[in-house]
Amino acid sequence: MKLNGKVALVTGAGQGIGRAIALAFAREGANVVVNDVSLETAEKVAGEIQVLGRRSLAVKADVSKSSDVAEMLDQVISSFGRIDILVNNAAPSERKCYPIEDTPEADWDRHLNIGLKGVFLCSQVVGRQMIKQKSGKIVNMASVHGSGGSPTRVSYSVSKAGIIQMTKTFAVEWGRHNINVNVGCPGVVTTAHHEMLAKENSGTYAAMLKRTPLQRFSRAEDIAKVVVFLASDDADHITGEELRIDNGMCAPWAGYIQSE
């Protein structure tokens, strides 16, 4: 088992990619703290982890609030005594598309507060504990949208770009404390949210699939496998990396279309 005996905190783990990461960690031997803004949802995933034979704790916390984040870490340390892995996965569940000129201020605030500020607050608080321990792994979840222009997604893409830059800065500053910080950047992942978008924008998604070299999109479980690697001892010599998990979607030049 790659994570046997480790203590991991996964934010936004009540569903989708976060849930898949939490369960994958448990299968690899980790005890997992499941964070979500819904305690009921977090408890459900914690129950699934316990069925796998690992300890789990469900914690309701809004990662954009420093008081919630501090209390969450207190619960982790009180229950497990340490924290070895942090996965910053929490992001707004509502992700609508707007032209820049029509983007509501509330949309900007939601993405920057939860998606970006939340990563900073959780990393800062957990980082202090990892510095004391002289070790730790932090994996941030961003997106390929953080690496290039993303029409109608300005709030989302800016938050993801910020996460990528934050990851590199944390990695440089905390490397001397034996803390690895990396960022995973998924492409299209077939969560319930993306399935809804695919139905609403079938032509766009068909075009995206056509220009993706591996001719497939990822499942949440596929992303989780990569996060397990980054959180494990196998990645001890990797830090500050932006790892795209996109089936090659960003590899072709802009005008490329896969031939039949």
Side-chain angles (χ1 to χ4, degrees):
M1 290 186 175
K2 291 182 180 293
L3 306 176
N4 195 36
K6 300 290 187 182
V7 177
L9 165 61
V10 184
T11 69
Q15 60 184 336
I17 293 173
R19 172 180 173 273
I21 292 169
L23 292 175
F25 278 7
R27 293 188 186 99
E28 290 294 339
N31 300 311
V32 187
V33 180
V34 179
N35 159 254
D36 201 86
V37 290
S38 165
L39 182 59
E40 181 180 358
T41 303
E43 287 177 337
K44 182 177 179 181
V45 177
E48 294 180 86
I49 290 168
Q50 290 163 2
V51 169
L52 294 172
R54 308 308 306 178
R55 292 177 61 198
S56 187
L57 173 68
V59 179
K60 178 182 178 180
D62 180 344
V63 298
S64 69
K65 297 179 179 178
S66 58
S67 57
D68 279 21
V69 172
E71 174 61 27
M72 178 164 62
L73 182 64
D74 286 346
Q75 291 186 54
V76 174
I77 301 305
S78 175
S79 297
F80 296 98
R82 61 181 294 110
I83 180 167
D84 303 293
I85 302 162
L86 167 65
V87 179
N88 283 305
N89 173 75
S93 56
E94 182 181 349
R95 196 185 309 162
K96 294 183 178 180
C97 298
Y98 304 95
I100 295 170
E101 62 272 22
D102 296 327
T103 298
E105 183 178 353
D107 183 75
W108 177 269
D109 289 344
R110 184 164 51 248
H111 282 283
L112 272 291
N113 285 335
I114 300 173
L116 186 58
K117 182 184 176 184
V119 173
F120 171 75
L121 291 176
C122 290
S123 298
Q124 184 184 53
V125 168
V126 172
R128 291 173 185 144
Q129 178 66 29
M130 290 180 170
I131 289 170
K132 293 178 185 177
Q133 298 171 184
K134 296 182 170 39
S135 67
K137 296 276 174 58
I138 298 176
V139 183
N140 298 324
M141 299 308 299
S143 166
V144 294
H145 289 286
S147 299
S150 185
T152 73
R153 294 179 175 88
V154 63
S155 305
Y156 176 75
S157 60
V158 166
S159 72
K160 297 305 183 183
I163 291 170
I164 293 169
Q165 180 57 36
M166 199 186 308
T167 297
K168 296 176 185 293
T169 302
F170 286 174
V172 171
E173 189 165 337
W174 286 348
R176 67 183 185 275
H177 299 296
N178 194 32
I179 300 171
N180 300 63
V181 190
N182 293 290
V183 57
C185 298
V188 178
V189 183
T190 55
T191 61
H193 173 76
H194 276 98
E195 288 176 356
M196 177 192 69
L197 290 179
K199 289 179 181 178
E200 295 175 354
N201 305 276
S202 57
T204 300
Y205 272 74
M208 289 167 61
L209 184 61
K210 193 171 182 63
R211 68 182 297 274
T212 299
L214 290 180
Q215 293 284 282
R216 60 176 179 249
F217 295 144
S218 300
R219 301 168 304 143
E221 291 75 14
D222 300 319
I223 307 304
K225 292 175 184 177
V226 178
V227 178
V228 166
F229 164 70
L230 291 174
S232 74
D233 293 346
D234 291 342
D236 278 352
H237 298 270
I238 301 174
T239 197
E241 287 298 320
E242 173 189 349
L243 184 55
R244 292 176 177 169
I245 318 163
D246 66 351
N247 295 294
M249 184 180 3
C250 292
W253 66 284
Y256 171 84
I257 296 179
Q258 179 80 23
S259 59
E260 298 294 340

